[in-house]
């Protein structure tokens, strides 16, 4: 009896280990900004969701569904509508510029440039990062935490805000960041 129990324990430990190994290698899935809303739309959190929803990032896909967008796509020589053109989607929907993004069924293109466009696909870290001491594990599971002070945030913005955008305007980081900043209360 004792022996079979310890065998079960060994088997269980092995399963946990392989599960972790698997987690490390599996690409993070894009789950959609709705998955962040429950915790990031409270006064205590700083209402990041409501802030994001009020910015043009949340409308970036809808913008591609406009006649103007189709005209821009046609002028660039694309035969497809803008909202179906991968070259346009690349900057207008979370994850679309990745080589092989993986989407959960919960993700909808409609959300445009969502939380995960800047913070990484959330499947691996969304339940892991809530404690400060887990932040490194969360990063290993795909979480991106760009930073304004060290310049990594500006660098990330310019992956989309650059002259490959057919409507590119000069990008002034400080000014643009002010429009989308979403701090946690101190
Ligand atoms: C179950 C609740 C919960 C969910 C769901 C959740 N978060 Fe969080 N998040 C938190 C809490 C709590 C903190 C504060 C952690 C701390 O004190 O360091 C946090 C912190 C963060 C931070 C700041 C990390 C740092 O230390 O700089 C980012 C970025 C973040 N979350 C993004 C997201 C994104 C993107 C999603 C959706 C994919 C998400 N969160 C989903 C609870 C949640
Ligand atoms: C994944 C691509 C992507 C990234 C990364 C990105 N943006 Fe954007 N951004 C867009 C798109 C697309 C629009 C246009 C949305 C629309 O109007 O439909 C936009 C629009 C904006 C706007 C509104 C336009 C204006 O002139 O007021 C601001 C402000 C902005 N972004 C700031 C930022 C900042 C700051 C960063 C970096 C922290 C950033 N963006 C990162 C794609 C991106
Ligand atoms: C366009 C890029 C972009 C998008 C979209 C975005 N974030 Fe962020 N987020 C950042 C950057 C850059 C920082 C770091 C700010 C800094 O260094 O002060 C940040 C910081 C945070 C923080 C930590 C704030 C603090 O005071 O430490 C949280 C929490 C967070 N984001 C959650 C979210 C959630 C939730 C969403 C979607 C509803 C979202 N973010 C959408 C770029 C983005
Ligand atoms: C390299 C990233 C990138 C690509 C590729 C891209 N866009 Fe955008 N798009 C942006 C950004 C960033 C903005 C907002 C700021 C700007 O206009 O520079 C934007 C804004 C727009 C706007 C709103 C313009 C306005 O003045 O309000 C339209 C329409 C648009 N894009 C259509 C398209 C179409 C159609 C394609 C494909 C042919 C496309 N975009 C490809 C990044 C991109």
């Amino acid at each position: 009896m004792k022996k079979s129990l310890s065998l079960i324990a060994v088997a269980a430990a092995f399963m946990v280990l392989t599960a972790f190994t698997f987690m490390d290698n599996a690409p993070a899935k894009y789950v959609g900004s709705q998955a962040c809303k429950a915790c990031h739309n409270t006064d205590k959190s700083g209402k990041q969701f409501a802030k994001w929803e009020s910015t043009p990032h949340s409308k970036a896909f809808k913008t591609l569904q406009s006649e103007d967008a189709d005209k821009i796509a046609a002028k660039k020589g694309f035969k497809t509508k803008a909202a179906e053109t991968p070259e346009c989607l690349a900057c207008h929907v979370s994850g679309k510029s990745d080589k092989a993004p993986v989407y959960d069924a919960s993700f909808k293109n409609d959300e445009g440039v969502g939380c995960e466009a800047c913070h990484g696909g959330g499947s691996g870290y969304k339940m892991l990062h809530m404690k400060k001491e887990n932040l490194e594990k969360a990063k290993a599971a795909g979480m991106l935490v760009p930073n304004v002070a060290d310049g990594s945030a500006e660098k990330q913005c310019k992956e989309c805000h650059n002259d490959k955008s057919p409507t590119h305007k000069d990008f002034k980081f400080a000014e643009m960041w002010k429009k989308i900043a979403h701090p946690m209360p101190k």
Side-chain angles (χ1 to χ4, degrees):
M1 183 64 189
K2 229 181 182 175
K3 198 169 176 194
S4 62
L5 263 184
S6 63
L7 267 178
I8 289 170
V10 168
F14 182 71
M15 269 159 61
V16 168
L17 257 175
T18 47
F20 272 112
T21 319
F22 177 72
M23 258 170 60
D24 276 347
N25 295 329
K29 283 188 196 166
Y30 289 87
V31 295
S33 301
Q34 287 292 337
C36 319
K37 186 176 180 180
C39 304
H40 286 289
N41 213 28
T42 62
D43 287 324
K44 204 174 144 234
S45 77
K47 290 202 165 174
Q48 285 85 15
F49 186 91
K51 174 68 210 187
W52 163 77
E53 214 173 22
S54 76
T55 71
H57 283 151
S58 70
K59 320 265 171 353
F61 180 71
K62 287 175 192 112
T63 295
L64 289 186
Q65 293 173 309
S66 64
E67 252 174 63
D68 273 359
D70 288 339
K71 275 189 206 142
I72 293 170
K75 219 164 131 196
K76 286 235 140 207
F78 294 113
K79 303 271 181 276
T80 41
K81 284 180 171 291
E84 288 151 20
T85 305
E87 286 80 355
C88 305
L89 291 166
C91 296
H92 282 256
V93 176
S94 305
K96 295 288 183 191
S97 62
D98 294 2
K99 256 195 205 118
V102 187
Y103 291 97
D104 192 82
S106 58
F107 185 90
K108 302 278 180 292
N109 279 353
D110 276 11
E111 72 165 67
V113 178
C115 313
E116 295 166 293
C118 300
H119 293 297
S123 64
Y125 69 79
K126 72 174 174 165
M127 298 314 285
L128 190 63
H129 71 287
M130 285 100 73
K131 291 200 185 109
K132 254 217 153 51
E133 60 268 30
N134 284 344
L135 196 60
E136 287 312 310
K137 273 191 212 150
K139 285 182 183 166
M143 186 172 187
L144 303 176
V145 189
N147 187 282
V148 169
D150 74 6
S152 55
E154 178 169 1
K155 203 166 152 228
Q156 187 181 51
C157 311
K158 289 178 172 169
E159 286 170 17
C160 298
H161 290 268
N162 62 52
D163 59 16
K164 286 194 196 124
S165 160
T167 57
H168 181 60
K169 299 169 197 84
D170 189 25
F171 183 77
K172 296 197 183 72
F173 175 75
E175 218 172 89
M176 295 289 268
W177 173 249
K178 234 189 253 162
K179 294 186 186 180
I180 69 155
H182 44 281
M184 292 192 283
K186 289 276 168 306

